[in-house]
């Protein structure tokens, strides 16, 4: 049975490799969709070049990057363009990211809403973003994020999106983020099922928790119950774009803030992780 989901691979697993190398390797293993990342680096968390594949200057190179994608038979339907939408200075950059993503053919762009302490500012800024999304016919997806953020789980996102009340603003449900933010305390299957009507796309992260250390791994080899997630999707007859994310270089000890390790895996190992993840996801969605 054919899988009707668009499954993209997040470029973040290819940490330290340029886009040409990323595209070349994805094409080599049969991937058709790539989720390119231009993610705002958290202060003190790491260098911009260590966490994302694009810079602001690259936003002027949309046609060049699209041509490079086409050379390797790749398309993009989702884009990781995270900023903090509670900060007015971040909104302008995000609008530029939206225009860039639209030029690549992207329909869904993910971002952070921001921290709960600046919820008021977020709601002041989201109107500008929603207007741009409507103009571009794109969907802005607010991602389930880290402890202290406005949206940490699906239930939070439902409340926010009901208030915004726009078909152009939805949620990115990131299972790995939600598990971490709740320290495993949220029933992901139930929370996800209750959020279905407010979701735009899905981020599949899987994680291993060993001796108090939480780190990301190949999809299907960790603690996230993706078979049950697939059952929910089948039960409701729902399909969403799925992005595979494996930031293997992040780790948290005893639920402390993530730290970034110096690990950089070779291309053969990364390709193997991607291929195994794709095969697992396709098998559970059939």
């Amino acid at each position: 049975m054919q899988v009707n989901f668009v499954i993209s691979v997040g470029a973040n697993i290819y940490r330290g490799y340029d886009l040409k190398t990323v595209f070349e390797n994805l094409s080599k293993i049969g991937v058709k969709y790539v989720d390119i990342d231009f993610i705002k680096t958290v202060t003190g968390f790491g260098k911009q070049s260590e966490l994302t594949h694009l810079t602001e200057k690259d936003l002027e190179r949309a046609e060049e990057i699209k041509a490079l994608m086409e050379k390797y038979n790749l398309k993009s339907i989702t884009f990781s363009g995270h900023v903090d939408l509670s900060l007015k200075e971040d909104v302008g950059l995000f609008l530029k990211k939206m225009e860039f993503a639209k030029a690549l053919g992207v329909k869904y762009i993910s971002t952070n809403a921001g921290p709960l302490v600046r919820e008021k500012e977020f709601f002041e800024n989201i109107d500008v973003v929603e207007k741009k999304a409507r103009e571009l016919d794109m969907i802005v997806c607010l991602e389930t994020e880290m402890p202290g953020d406005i949206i940490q789980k699906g239930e939070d996102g439902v409340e926010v999106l009901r208030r915004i009340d726009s078909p152009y603003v939805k949620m990115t449900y990131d299972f790995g983020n939600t598990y971490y933010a709740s320290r495993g305390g949220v029933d992901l299957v139930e929370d996800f099922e209750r959020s279905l009507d407010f979701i735009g796309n899905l981020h599949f992260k899987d994680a291993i928790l060993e001796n108090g250390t939480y780190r990301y791994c190949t999809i299907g080899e960790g603690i996230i119950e993706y078979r049950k997630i697939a059952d929910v999707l089948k039960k409701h007859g729902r399909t969403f774009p799925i992005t595979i994310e494996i930031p293997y270089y992040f780790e948290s000890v005893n639920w402390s803030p993530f730290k970034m390790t110096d690990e950089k895996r070779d291309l053969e190992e990364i390709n193997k992780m991607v291929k195994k993840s794709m095969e697992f996801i396709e098998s559970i969605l059939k």
Side-chain angles (χ1 to χ4, degrees), residues 36-62:
I36 306 175
D37 46 1
F38 184 0
I39 299 172
K40 178 184 176 182
T41 303
V42 179
T43 303
F45 195 61
K47 297 177 181 177
Q48 185 80 8
S49 59
E50 293 177 327
L51 287 172
T52 191
H53 281 90
L54 298 178
T55 66
E56 192 166 355
K57 289 182 179 179
D58 291 318
L59 298 182
E60 301 171 4
R61 301 173 52 232

Side-chain angles (χ1 to χ4, degrees), residues 225-264:
E225 297 179 303
Y226 280 112
R227 293 185 186 278
K228 292 184 179 179
I229 299 301
D231 288 342
V232 169
L233 291 166
K234 294 173 189 176
K235 172 184 172 183
H236 292 276
R238 303 297 293 270
T239 60
F240 299 101
I242 294 170
T243 296
I244 294 170
E245 290 195 329
I246 314 178
Y248 63 83
Y249 39 83
F250 287 162
E251 66 176 33
S252 166
V253 178
N254 296 325
W255 306 110
S256 63
F258 277 112
K259 291 186 177 179
M260 189 166 62
T261 70
D262 294 328
E263 185 178 8
K264 178 183 174 182

Side-chain angles (χ1 to χ4, degrees), residues 147-246:
D149 281 1
I150 295 168
I151 300 176
Q152 299 174 47
K153 57 186 182 296
E155 182 182 358
D156 302 332
V158 169
E159 292 182 13
V160 169
L161 294 169
R162 279 184 173 147
R163 183 169 169 183
I164 296 170
D165 191 25
S166 170
Y168 294 94
V169 184
K170 292 186 177 292
M171 187 184 343
T172 294
Y173 200 106
D174 186 309
F175 295 92
N177 287 358
T178 300
Y179 189 96
Y180 169 76
S182 69
R183 299 188 174 190
V186 168
D187 185 319
L188 292 182
V189 179
E190 289 186 4
D191 185 57
F192 172 62
E193 188 167 17
R194 289 194 297 263
S195 309
L196 281 175
D197 291 341
F198 298 85
I199 290 172
N201 70 326
L202 307 177
H203 282 183
F204 275 25
K205 281 195 188 87
D206 210 347
I208 295 172
L209 184 58
E210 292 180 331
N211 300 319
T213 299
Y214 182 87
R215 57 187 176 83
Y216 293 114
C217 64
T218 301
I219 313 300
E221 295 185 356
I223 54 182
I224 309 296
E225 297 179 303
Y226 280 112
R227 293 185 186 278
K228 292 184 179 179
I229 299 301
D231 288 342
V232 169
L233 291 166
K234 294 173 189 176
K235 172 184 172 183
H236 292 276
R238 303 297 293 270
T239 60
F240 299 101
I242 294 170
T243 296
I244 294 170
E245 290 195 329
I246 314 178

